Amino acid sequence: FSGTSMAAPAVTGVAAVIRGYFPDLKAHEVREVLMKTVVMYNKPVVMPGSKKQKKKVNELCISGGFVNTKAAVEYLLKK
């Protein structure tokens, strides 16, 4: 599996962890934290649905990187 079929549950899981530790956060604040704490990845990856075609992550998604639970929680602990 690839693409949004895998990204959506991964991001939802991280959002759930964040809301578990910080239940007073609003949805837009969770999104902000997730966007600020992604791990940037500049190497080409195989496009979802393709076996060979490659693109950079920032061409495939808004954040340009991968969600990072540890970075998100650490970011909020420093706030």
Side-chain angles (χ1 to χ4, degrees):
F1 298 106
S2 64
T4 55
S5 297
M6 294 309 299
V11 174
T12 301
V14 176
V17 169
I18 290 170
R19 290 293 294 271
Y21 281 108
F22 306 93
D24 294 334
L25 287 178
K26 306 281 186 252
H28 69 90
E29 294 170 317
V30 173
R31 181 185 187 277
E32 180 182 319
V33 170
L34 294 175
M35 294 296 286
K36 285 184 176 184
T37 59
V38 296
V39 174
M40 300 309 286
Y41 192 81
N42 296 318
K43 296 178 184 177
V45 296
V46 176
M47 284 183 53
S50 167
K51 295 191 185 235
K52 294 183 182 180
Q53 189 177 4
K54 292 186 176 187
K55 285 198 172 192
K56 289 187 177 180
V57 174
N58 67 351
E59 296 176 285
L60 298 172
C61 69
I62 294 170
S63 69
F66 298 106
V67 69
N68 185 319
T69 308
K70 182 180 180 213
V73 172
E74 286 176 348
Y75 174 85
L76 286 165
L77 288 172
K78 292 178 185 176
K79 269 186 121 177

